[in-house]
């Protein structure tokens, strides 16, 4: 029982009365206003809201890449808001994976070498073999020696996904990772991620403007107000059949339900 409780706690994410204010030339700018979140281990949560509402700032705070003005953040049992940068980096390296909108691949390294980076930082003795297995899972085994400049946008994002998953994170943070991709490419990556999650349950926090994408990939959707961001509504998605596509009837029905029940909310946020 103790081992199970520890495992359940490892992937949990909590934010308590989280606030972020920055100083600008025009004075203080409030970005986040009293955010309270609790995301269970192995739960997938989509964050939906208008551009500039502060969701990327929130993700950076949850990853320990930025510091809050006030409030507390827990990743598992670790209160990262009580840590200095060095200790936040240790926790982040141990349990957090990050997939960015802009790929963030190292141009001087091959696709395989990019995937190996987090493994080598953790001194994994099997970095190359693990990276090759992940390249195969994301459908890029035949492109492992290519450099980012020789890969398409979809291929670069596959490499970024493999890199994020390489160290087996407990928590995966994704900042609009599909927004710059065409629909067929995005759908192929949905499939890659869903297949991985079915076999390797991890906690997912996804920023997206695409409500159908949020329904497809999420267990919950949290809607945010415009800046300063606060939580407007926390919606639990009905159970879905495995292996759905974004245009499936189940996804459309949930989309229509939200649109009908909260038309003003969706008009203002999506």
């Amino acid at each position: 029982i103790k081992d199970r409780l520890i495992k359940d706690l490892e992937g949990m994410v909590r934010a308590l009365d989280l606030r972020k204010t920055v100083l600008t030339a025009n004075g203080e700018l409030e970005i986040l206003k009293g955010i309270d979140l609790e995301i269970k281990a192995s739960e997938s949560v989509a964050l939906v809201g208008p551009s500039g509402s502060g969701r990327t700032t929130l993700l950076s705070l949850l990853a320990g890449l930025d510091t809050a003005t006030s409030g507390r953040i827990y990743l598992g049992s670790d209160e990262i808001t009580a840590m200095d940068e060095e200790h936040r980096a240790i926790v982040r390296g141990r349990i957090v994976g990050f997939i960015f909108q802009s790929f963030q691949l190292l141009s001087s390294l091959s696709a395989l070498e990019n995937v190996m980076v987090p493994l080598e930082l953790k001194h994994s003795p099997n970095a190359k073999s693990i990276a090759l297995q992940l390249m195969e899972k994301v459908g890029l085994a035949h492109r492992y020696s290519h450099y980012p400049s020789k890969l398409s946008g979809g291929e670069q994002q596959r490499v970024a996904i493999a890199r994020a998953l390489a160290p087996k994170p407990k928590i995966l943070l994704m900042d609009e990772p599909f927004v710059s991709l065409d629909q067929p490419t995005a759908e192929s990556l949905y499939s890659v991620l869903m297949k991985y999650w079915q076999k390797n349950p991890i906690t997912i926090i996804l920023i997206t403007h695409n409500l159908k994408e949020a329904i497809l990939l999420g267990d919950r959707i949290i809607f945010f107000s415009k800046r300063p961001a606060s939580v407007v509504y926390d919606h639990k998605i009905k159970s879905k059949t495995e292996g759905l596509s974004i245009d499936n009837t189940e996804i459309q029905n949930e989309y229509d339900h939200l649109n009908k029940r909260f038309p003003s909310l969706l008009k203002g946020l999506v």
Side-chain angles (χ1 to χ4, degrees):
I1 293 174
K2 182 180 178 182
D3 290 344
R4 179 168 54 80
L5 289 173
I6 291 172
K7 184 177 181 181
D8 288 346
L9 187 60
E10 279 183 336
M12 183 179 287
V13 178
R14 289 181 294 157
L16 304 175
D17 194 24
L18 199 63
R19 298 173 184 270
K20 179 68 176 180
T21 300
V22 296
L23 188 62
T24 72
N26 297 317
E28 290 189 345
L29 177 65
E30 190 176 25
I31 299 174
L32 301 178
K33 185 177 182 178
I35 301 293
D36 289 303
L37 291 177
E38 183 169 320
I39 299 171
K40 297 176 182 177
S42 303
E43 190 173 29
S44 178
V45 176
L47 310 182
V48 175
S51 295
S53 62
R55 291 169 303 150
T56 294
T57 298
L58 173 60
L59 220 59
S60 295
L61 293 174
L62 295 179
L65 295 169
D66 193 5
T67 55
T69 302
S70 63
R72 289 178 288 165
I73 298 170
Y74 292 87
L75 300 183
S77 60
D78 295 304
E79 184 189 349
I80 64 169
T81 39
M83 298 177 179
D84 59 22
E85 169 54 31
E86 181 181 354
H87 287 89
R88 291 199 306 272
I90 291 171
V91 173
R92 183 167 60 245
R94 191 178 79 242
I95 62 174
V96 177
F98 213 121
I99 301 176
F100 302 89
Q101 178 181 330
S102 55
F103 316 137
Q104 300 289 342
L105 300 180
L106 299 174
S107 61
S108 61
L109 300 182
S110 69
L112 180 65
E113 290 166 339
N114 267 280
V115 178
M116 289 171 62
V117 166
L119 295 166
E120 291 180 331
L121 289 174
K122 296 181 77 171
H123 307 291
S124 172
N126 304 309
K128 186 172 182 178
S129 61
I130 293 170
L132 282 169
Q133 290 172 18
L134 282 164
M135 291 290 287
E136 185 173 354
K137 286 182 179 179
V138 300
L140 274 185
H142 62 297
R143 303 277 276 168
Y144 76 91
S145 63
H146 290 69
Y147 287 82
S149 62
K150 302 299 181 183
L151 300 173
S152 68
E155 289 172 333
Q156 289 187 63
Q157 195 60 297
R158 286 173 187 264
V159 175
I161 289 170
R163 179 184 59 187
L165 298 177
K168 295 185 177 179
K170 302 294 183 184
I171 300 163
L172 182 62
L173 307 177
M174 302 195 294
D175 188 1
E176 298 196 77
F178 314 112
V179 69
S180 63
L181 306 177
D182 60 64
Q183 193 59 42
T185 301
E187 288 192 23
S188 70
L189 292 178
Y190 299 157
S191 179
V192 167
L193 285 168
M194 288 190 291
K195 285 178 182 177
Y196 180 87
W197 295 340
Q198 287 166 12
K199 295 181 180 179
N200 307 274
I202 57 176
T203 306
I204 309 294
I205 304 177
L206 164 71
I207 291 178
T208 180
H209 281 95
N210 186 330
L211 186 57
K212 286 188 177 180
E213 181 178 283
I215 295 167
L216 177 67
L217 299 178
D219 300 313
R220 288 161 57 200
I221 302 175
I222 298 177
F223 293 93
F224 286 81
S225 69
K226 64 183 180 180
R227 190 177 65 220
S230 60
V231 174
V232 177
Y233 183 65
D234 189 338
H235 174 71
K236 184 171 179 59
I237 298 167
K238 296 177 182 177
S239 297
K240 305 183 291 282
T241 305
E242 289 185 1
L244 295 181
S245 69
I246 201 166
D247 293 320
N248 186 276
T249 303
E250 286 183 44
I251 305 299
Q252 184 64 48
N253 288 343
E254 186 76 13
Y255 178 88
D256 291 342
H257 165 73
L258 282 169
N259 223 357
K260 183 177 181 180
R261 188 175 178 187
F262 306 106
S264 59
L265 179 68
L266 297 186
K267 184 179 179 180
L269 296 180
V270 181

